[in-house]
Amino acid sequence: MPASELKVLMRDTLSHFQHLHRLSGSADAEKSVDWLCEQLQARDIPFRRESCNLWLSDPLDASLTVAGQVINAKTRSFSAHCPDGVEAELFHDTQSLDFIPENALANWSARVRGKLVLADQGFEDYVQRLMNAGALGLIHIWGSAEAALHEETVGPVWGTPVPDDLQRYPTIPVISISQQDGAHLRSQLSAETLCARLTTVLHEHVAPCSLPVVELPGSSEEFVLLSSHYDSWHEGVTDNATGNALCLALATLFSEQRLTRGLRVAFWPGHSNARYGGSTWYADHFRSQLLDHCVAHINVDSPGCIGGSQLVVNASGAESSDWLNQAIIATTGKPAERVTPIGKGADQSFWGLGIPLHFALREVPEQRQSLSPGSGGGWWWHTEEDTLDKVDEAHLWRDFDIHQRWLESLLYEKTLPLDARQYLALMDDALAQLQNEIDPAFSLNPLRERLSALEKLISGKTCKLSSLAEATGLWHRARYRAGDDFHPDLSYHGGAFPGLQRLCGFRRQQCSERYWLMLETQFIRQRDRISELLTRSEWILRQSV
């Protein structure tokens, strides 16, 4: 298909989606899938329209009143539903961004207990800490100066919960306010005691959600998974109608070609109000196909934004940086600003499935003015202002071209752009950094020695591609997971070797005997889990050298 027709298709997608508020479980979300499926059918592109039941939390309304003053506020998905309101003394937690040693936790808890807490962060782990301390609610002050309030989530569970997860869901209301309003409240609190009243209204429900997947076969059973979430906060044109338009155009382009590897293009529901529920459902229900045949997952989120002039690649570390940059240089004339490890988010629900390649292109502004992590760093991210005027069609076509080049390589070349030595070095660097952040009693040297042995094993030798891919899948489990393959880690457990990250900051002299015993147990189990994964990978590679 000519480039001009692909551009028209992307433009038509944006034009149609801009009028739909596509929150999963809503009629507009299903209308957007209807339209996607109509476009696929009109072009004879093979696809399946799956349906998955998802646990959804829709934030509807919030209010905050302090000393008779009404302050603009938004609640967060999976906040507690408190329509009758909570009233209590307001407390500014100046330690909200600080690590709290175990021997100082009781004093901190006493200060926040029974209070509505004003804080400079609203991440899920902080909400959990406030719940455990007996706080009555959280008012998060956004960290940059835009007046717009952003939709967000405090859901602690990745995807749909199991019964043991129920106890983790927030039992306190959580709202956000602007930086300006927060500064005013902090100033007032420095001079006087204040009481506040907040309300939250949420709709928590289970609903069927469509999950369309294009399935283009190749001559081999291997396939690449390309994905984007179609659900949105409000119109969500740059998050993520632009991603949907790009993926639809790529599906159309490659449907006209004979492929060596197959291509699946998935459109996820439940990214926003089900905490990555759609991609997790797909990982659960298509596990064997992904485990046996998927060689790469490329996630597309918020391409084509005004101001998104700089490019960053979020990658697992196993991908050749030169290969990633080849497509970017061919399109833009220069490499990405940086290639950086994938963070916790963006429907990265596939770490326990042995997929060797995981990466995503991300736009960032030349000069950041907002803390918004999406929409190219634009202040309108997750707000009512994420509208069609925030799209830069030149950036969208640039991002399309880069993805096309990546896919042409993955779908036609027999090899995979794996750089095992680079990945082993990155993991060793991460362990070295971790060692500086945990108690010296927890030695990571045995793990670093395992990595060194693996590097020596493959240095200057040729391994079978299938064995190298299988070993890489085991390394991903070590680097990006703390638990087993069937239970995703909690949404706030991230970073390199997340099970070991739990040890950061704690020192023996600051811990009770009971808590130190728990930390020792955490260390032993995680060390041995990672060691076993590395040992298994070494055995696989020895058979193929």
Side-chain angles (χ1 to χ4, degrees), residues 475-519:
W475 299 342
H476 287 334
R477 289 170 170 94
R479 164 60 174 79
Y480 286 95
R481 293 289 289 264
D484 65 49
D485 290 351
F486 298 91
H487 297 84
D489 293 340
L490 295 174
S491 62
Y492 52 90
H493 287 168
F497 304 97
L500 294 174
Q501 292 282 344
R502 303 290 302 280
L503 307 171
C504 288
F506 292 104
R507 293 296 181 266
R508 176 68 184 90
Q509 63 270 24
Q510 296 175 315
C511 295
S512 65
E513 286 189 12
R514 184 180 69 169
Y515 201 78
W516 183 252
L517 177 61
M518 289 191 284
L519 293 175

Side-chain angles (χ1 to χ4, degrees), residues 142 167 198 282 302 371 384 401 411 423 427 432 445 467 476:
W142 186 253
Q167 61 185 327
L198 65 82
Y282 193 76
S302 296
L371 290 181
E384 295 86 343
D401 190 61
L411 297 177
Y423 194 23
M427 286 191 288
N445 285 337
S467 299
H476 287 334

Side-chain angles (χ1 to χ4, degrees), residues 236-243 301-305 375 380 386-387 390-391:
V237 176
T238 65
D239 190 6
N240 188 33
T242 50
D301 203 336
S302 296
C305 301
S375 296
W380 58 86
D386 186 3
T387 47
K390 308 304 187 303
V391 175

Side-chain angles (χ1 to χ4, degrees), residues 266-278:
F267 298 89
W268 308 130
H271 171 96
S272 303
N273 59 337
R275 207 61 167 119
Y276 313 118

Side-chain angles (χ1 to χ4, degrees), residues 68 383 454 535:
T383 76
L454 284 164
T535 300

